[in-house]
Amino acid sequence: VRFIIPFGTFAVAAHSVAQRIDQLVQMPCGGIGTAAGILAGQNLGAGKSERAARGGWLAAGLATCWTVAASILIWFGAEQFINFYANGNADVVEIASTFLKIQILGYILWGGVIALSMCLNGAGDTVITMVTNLTAMWGVAITLAFVLSNYTDLGVNGIRWAMVIGIAARAIIYTAYFKSGRWQRKRV
């Protein structure tokens, strides 16, 4: 929020509204990811590492299906969703609509990010998720939010683009690490 405040009250309100809608999109992914993590841990404990991997990929696919469906709804109905929270304030609706349409790219990746990271956590391989989240959030998203919002023509939208790029960084790392299979050899 600190980066958004200089852009005014409407930008802060739009960010708040967009965050609420973000949570509605992200919550089912958390549930799918939690279930996948539990199943991964159980399957690894039972010596069925391939089944754990299949479950992780399936969870990532299911969560991604949800985020794609939600993204389509948001693309065509962002203004209606935002009006529910913004009480028809045209400035807030316009800014929040742009925020959400930028965030759609992040939503599509988010399902896989959460499902795979929760699988890794469930398998007991928590260091990679900690390092990845800290790096993607502090090293990528926050740094880019500052740079893109202050030193480019993107303005306040640069903050949302930074968030999407941070999610994309996580998606790349988690997919590569999960595919490597190192997490399947973790002993807890």
Side-chain angles (χ1 to χ4, degrees):
V1 173
R2 183 185 182 321
F3 295 139
I4 294 174
I5 291 171
F7 293 99
T9 305
F10 293 132
V12 172
H15 175 72
S16 176
V17 169
Q19 287 294 102
R20 289 180 182 150
I21 295 169
D22 285 350
Q23 291 171 1
L24 293 173
V25 173
Q26 295 169 357
M27 268 192 272
C29 297
I32 292 168
T34 299
I38 291 166
L39 291 174
Q42 288 176 339
N43 282 308
L44 288 177
K48 299 178 180 180
S49 63
E50 286 304 313
R51 188 170 165 186
R54 278 195 317 271
W57 291 121
L58 177 63
L62 287 172
T64 301
C65 285
W66 159 249
T67 57
V68 167
S71 295
I72 291 168
L73 289 173
I74 289 169
W75 182 261
F76 292 108
E79 291 80 11
Q80 290 80 8
F81 293 121
I82 295 162
N83 266 323
F84 180 76
Y85 296 102
N87 296 324
N89 184 307
D91 293 320
V92 173
V93 170
E94 180 184 344
I95 297 167
S97 178
T98 301
F99 284 175
L100 288 178
K101 288 180 178 178
I102 292 168
Q103 196 66 35
I104 283 173
L105 298 170
Y107 292 154
I108 292 169
L109 298 172
W110 188 254
V113 164
I114 290 300
L116 295 179
S117 69
M118 296 298 276
C119 264
L120 295 172
N121 286 339
D125 202 353
T126 57
V127 173
I128 188 71
T129 57
M130 178 190 68
V131 171
T132 299
N133 286 336
L134 287 173
T135 303
M137 191 177 302
W138 290 96
V140 177
I142 291 177
T143 302
L144 282 177
F146 176 76
V147 171
L148 294 176
S149 65
N150 289 298
Y151 299 105
T152 70
D153 293 334
L154 293 172
V156 72
N157 294 328
I159 296 164
R160 280 285 160 166
W161 281 112
M163 292 166 67
V164 170
I165 293 167
I167 292 168
R170 288 187 221 184
I172 291 166
I173 294 167
Y174 287 139
T175 301
Y177 188 79
F178 197 84
K179 192 172 185 174
S180 78
R182 281 187 58 201
W183 61 277
Q184 291 171 300
R185 296 184 293 276
K186 184 77 175 171
R187 296 287 173 231
V188 194

